[in-house]
Amino acid sequence: MSHKVIVPIGPYHPLQEEPEFFRLYVEGEKVVDIDIIIGYNHRGIEKLSESKHFDQVPYLVERICGICSSSHPYAYCLAVEDILGGEQHLVPERALYIRTIIDELQRIHSHLLWLGLAGHFIGYNTIWMWAWRYREPVLDCFEMITGNRNNYAMFKIGGVRRDIVETDIPSLKKALDELAPVLEMFRKAIVDDPVITARLKDAGTLTRQQAIDWCVIGPTARASGVNIDIRRDEPYGVLDRVDWNVIVEKEGDVYAKTIVRIFEMQESIRIIRQCLEKMPEGPIDAGVKDIPAGEGIGRVEAPRGECFHYIVSDGTNRPVRHKIRSPSFMNVASDKVAAVGGTISDATITLAAVDPCYCCTERVAVLRKADSAKILDGWDLVKMSQEKTRILQERLKNAGNGERKD
Amino acid sequence: MEMREMIRSGLGSMITDWKEHSPRRVYIGIGKKDIVDAVRVMFKDLGCRFSTISAVETRDGFELLYHFSYDKAGEFYSLRVALVGKESPRVDSITPLFAGAEWIERETWELFGIDFTGHPNLTHLLLMDEWPEGKYPLRKKE
């Protein structure tokens, strides 16, 4: 390939999970091609899992990701329970409710984390600070009911490990009551702001056909008009017994992805509230002893999309094969089409819009010619993105109106 | 018509085995030579979403499961292909059909050593480029 300028983003920052390395080929400020290189943090979880017994594996898979740390153990438990005859037949009613509450709380904190990062990348540091500030009470809820802010250790085959005690429920409800108006504030802040709208509309668009061809999932797919959600399509927990909506947008740009996530948080609050109302008394564990030979598949709608686990058991106490496919594996690949054709100042927000466990903008070099290399770091790239927002703000101000153009 | 019927008629004589695990889980045996055609029927004609490939090492070779999700009904169909022999397992690539399979086949190749004939870019994805040839970490003897 004979492109003159290459912008490498990444690859490695040891504080983040899933380091990725993006090599952007640019002409002027337009991105014309992109290489995505992953695997810097491949830890061989699938191989490790074959050396653990069935009860140990949830602790292992919980540590795949610190943000969706209930999706992986949940999907694993569903896979094993698929061998045993299915979650709904096996797991006690109260445990199903607790599982759903944990999973939806996780979605809220994950989406708030993303919203904060997205705000930072486009130069809205207020959104960043506020989103992360309001994420704290959600983590406090986790600490209250599970004992941990992350890696909750709640899931086990056939049930959950801890009960939600009655005395915690009022505090949980109070936290939700305080969070609901905050989410509404975020929604208004984004929908009503002409600069954010101008900045995010038509950035990093993934068309519906591209979304299907690249097999993307989760909010990335739903923002492109692909109406899929494992929670509705193959309900687990009590998701078929509560009232909630799947959020779908058509445009496929970063704006649509933002809107999908904000509305999804509001739906999650609805789900948790109903769960807290309806949750019955009773046992929380089915007391599973042996796992028979067989194969099972478990699927959970993680905050980023379908989280897939496949288990083969030969009747011993260890899985013979444990296949894991996390949602980012499918979504990140689609950056190949979403980022190409956009500008380099849109690259950070576009690459972040699929909500990969994103990182990597730590070390960036722009090579103009072989003999004169200019070194940029991740902050320079963020500044480039924020600068574009500032210019838009100026332009709108000069146009004499700050009103939203519908 | 129900998806099960459409798959039965769409795949026709390619089906070598049909196992109903549960109302939402069906495992379908497919001959190795037919896999690209079978995937084309599932993905292009019937509009199922491709989820991933699971490779499993068996006593006399490997098994590949091509997982398809029919999201409208929440059903999950897995096409099972048996590859006999551990020396040089090989199967035709489905990446030319749609882009979403590229990374999945690369991952399966480097971790299990299964060669996907016709793959446009069968290079290391998760392992480093200097990874020794012939070492496949998810095989049982490694």
Side-chain angles (χ1 to χ4, degrees):
Chain A
M1 207 166 283
S2 63
H3 301 307
K4 295 246 163 37
V5 183
I6 298 169
V7 181
I9 305 180
Y12 196 63
H13 192 297
L15 286 177
Q16 311 265 21
E17 56 271 291
E18 264 186 14
E20 297 143 358
F21 177 35
F22 300 100
R23 197 183 289 134
L24 304 181
Y25 297 90
V26 295
E27 279 171 10
E29 63 163 12
K30 195 174 167 198
V31 179
V32 291
D33 201 2
I34 181 171
D35 288 341
I36 306 169
I37 299 133
I38 59 169
Y40 294 96
N41 209 4
H42 191 252
R43 292 160 291 170
I45 298 265
E46 291 181 19
K47 188 77 172 177
L48 259 176
S49 176
E50 292 169 11
S51 67
K52 306 281 174 209
H53 63 66
F54 280 105
D55 257 352
Q56 288 174 320
V57 178
Y59 294 110
L60 175 70
V61 296
E62 189 160 70
R63 279 150 182 81
I64 292 173
C65 174
I67 299 167
C68 24
S69 58
S70 84
S71 301
H72 284 287
Y74 200 169
Y76 163 77
C77 288
L78 288 179
V80 177
E81 285 156 8
D82 189 28
I83 302 175
L84 292 159
E87 184 198 26
Q88 301 292 331
H89 297 288
L90 184 72
V91 178
E93 191 79 357
R94 187 173 174 86
L96 292 178
Y97 277 91
I98 295 176
R99 284 180 168 195
T100 309
I101 292 170
I102 296 291
D103 204 41
E104 292 306 313
L105 267 179
Q106 171 207 254
R107 192 178 320 280
I108 297 174
H109 100 72
S110 173
H111 282 355
L112 278 175
L113 183 92
W114 178 84
L115 185 65
L117 280 178
H120 174 56
F121 284 147
I122 60 167
Y124 273 68
N125 284 336
T126 323
I127 290 187
W128 176 31
M129 299 295 173
W130 282 43
W132 285 24
R133 179 247 176 278
Y134 288 110
R135 181 174 167 259
E136 283 304 304
V138 183
L139 296 181
D140 291 341
C141 288
F142 274 124
E143 191 172 357
M144 181 174 66
I145 55 183
T146 72
N148 299 299
R149 284 160 60 85
N150 274 308
N151 294 354
Y152 320 113
M154 284 290 268
F155 287 83
K156 66 177 293 190
I157 296 160
V160 290
R161 280 184 198 280
R162 273 164 166 263
D163 204 350
I164 296 183
V165 291
E166 287 301 319
T167 48
D168 283 346
I169 290 179
S171 321
L172 203 53
K173 280 183 179 164
K174 184 163 164 280
L176 293 177
D177 289 343
E178 286 167 1
L179 192 61
V182 171
L183 295 181
E184 184 58 18
M185 174 198 75
F186 277 127
R187 188 189 68 76
K188 280 190 185 145
I190 285 162
V191 172
D192 292 347
D193 190 312
V195 179
I196 295 188
T197 312
R199 182 73 179 83
L200 299 183
K201 285 234 170 174
D202 298 325
T205 304
L206 192 71
T207 64
R208 186 167 190 276
Q209 192 53 47
Q210 285 168 340
I212 291 169
D213 284 343
W214 288 85
C215 311
V216 300
I217 40 195
T220 311
R222 289 196 285 278
S224 295
V226 182
N227 191 350
I228 53 172
D229 193 322
I230 305 299
R231 293 179 290 167
R232 176 201 57 202
D233 302 333
E234 193 190 322
Y236 47 86
V238 292
L239 286 161
D240 52 348
R241 279 170 256 176
V242 291
D243 184 31
W244 61 283
N245 297 314
V246 176
I247 311 296
V248 184
E249 292 281 322
K250 289 198 179 65
E251 292 75 16
D253 49 17
V254 180
Y255 186 79
K257 291 180 178 113
T258 312
I259 294 296
V260 165
R261 290 197 175 96
I262 287 180
F263 280 112
E264 272 185 10
M265 287 191 276
Q266 296 183 323
E267 294 299 321
S268 291
I269 289 191
R270 280 178 68 195
I271 294 172
I272 299 169
R273 277 182 174 152
Q274 293 174 64
C275 287
L276 289 173
E277 288 301 324
K278 293 182 177 174
M279 190 161 65
E281 293 293 318
I284 56 164
D285 184 12
V288 174
K289 292 278 185 287
D290 296 317
I291 312 295
E295 58 189 337
I297 292 165
R299 300 195 291 159
V300 161
E301 184 76 19
R304 290 157 190 76
E306 177 201 58
C307 175
F308 169 94
H309 282 236
Y310 169 72
I311 290 280
V312 181
S313 161
D314 62 353
T316 61
N317 67 343
R318 289 162 207 271
V320 181
R321 171 83 174 108
H322 184 181
K323 163 76 186 175
I324 302 161
R325 203 268 289 122
S326 65
S328 288
F329 193 80
M330 309 303 285
N331 290 338
V332 171
S334 76
D335 285 337
K336 189 134 186 141
V337 281
V340 170
T343 62
I344 187 170
S345 51
D346 284 345
T348 37
I349 187 66
T350 303
L351 298 176
V354 302
D355 194 6
C357 297
Y358 183 73
C359 50
C360 342
T361 45
E362 181 62 15
R363 208 183 56 209
V364 174
V366 175
L367 306 172
R368 294 249 170 236
K369 282 182 200 161
D371 54 352
S372 70
K374 184 185 173 196
I375 307 297
L376 300 179
D377 63 11
W379 175 234
D380 290 330
L381 211 74
V382 172
K383 268 199 290 196
M384 221 186 267
S385 174
Q386 298 185 343
E387 179 66 11
K388 181 170 175 182
T389 309
R390 202 190 54 75
I391 294 169
L392 271 170
Q393 273 166 338
E394 289 292 320
R395 199 180 296 157
L396 281 171
K397 211 184 285 171
N398 293 340
N401 66 65
E403 283 165 26
R404 183 184 169 211
K405 278 176 274 175
D406 281 314
Chain B
M1 194 163 38
E2 268 200 38
M3 199 59 184
R4 278 174 167 69
E5 297 307 312
M6 285 161 70
I7 291 175
R8 271 189 199 279
S9 66
L11 296 180
S13 61
M14 290 188 260
I15 299 173
T16 59
D17 180 41
W18 185 280
K19 186 180 141 204
E20 303 251 352
H21 177 79
S22 69
R24 292 186 187 275
R25 300 272 188 272
V26 182
Y27 295 88
I28 305 163
I30 295 287
K32 181 179 146 182
K33 64 181 191 325
D34 293 327
I35 188 60
V36 176
D37 289 331
V39 169
R40 184 183 292 118
V41 170
M42 294 293 287
F43 188 83
K44 300 269 184 191
D45 302 349
L46 300 177
C48 291
R49 176 171 60 78
F50 178 61
S51 189
T52 191
I53 296 174
S54 298
V56 184
E57 187 166 347
T58 55
R59 187 164 298 185
D60 52 358
F62 294 91
E63 229 175 54
L64 292 179
L65 288 112
Y66 293 71
H67 302 288
F68 287 90
S69 178
Y70 180 55
D71 294 307
K72 282 200 184 88
E75 292 165 355
F76 209 68
Y77 297 92
S78 303
L79 306 184
R80 193 194 300 272
V81 179
L83 307 179
V84 180
K86 297 201 178 180
E87 279 307 305
S88 55
R90 178 183 296 276
V91 69
D92 287 334
S93 169
I94 58 166
T95 305
L97 289 180
F98 55 93
E102 184 194 333
W103 281 17
I104 291 167
E105 289 192 333
R106 283 168 71 184
E107 183 195 18
T108 313
W109 165 73
E110 64 182 351
L111 298 180
F112 279 93
I114 292 163
D115 187 13
F116 290 91
T117 314
H119 191 291
N121 181 27
L122 206 57
T123 52
H124 281 298
L125 177 71
L126 298 170
L127 302 178
M128 56 187 184
D129 290 335
E130 299 76 26
W131 191 264
E133 223 172 286
K135 285 264 184 202
Y136 302 112
L138 280 186
R139 287 198 181 181
K140 290 289 178 200
K141 68 175 170 52
E142 293 295 340

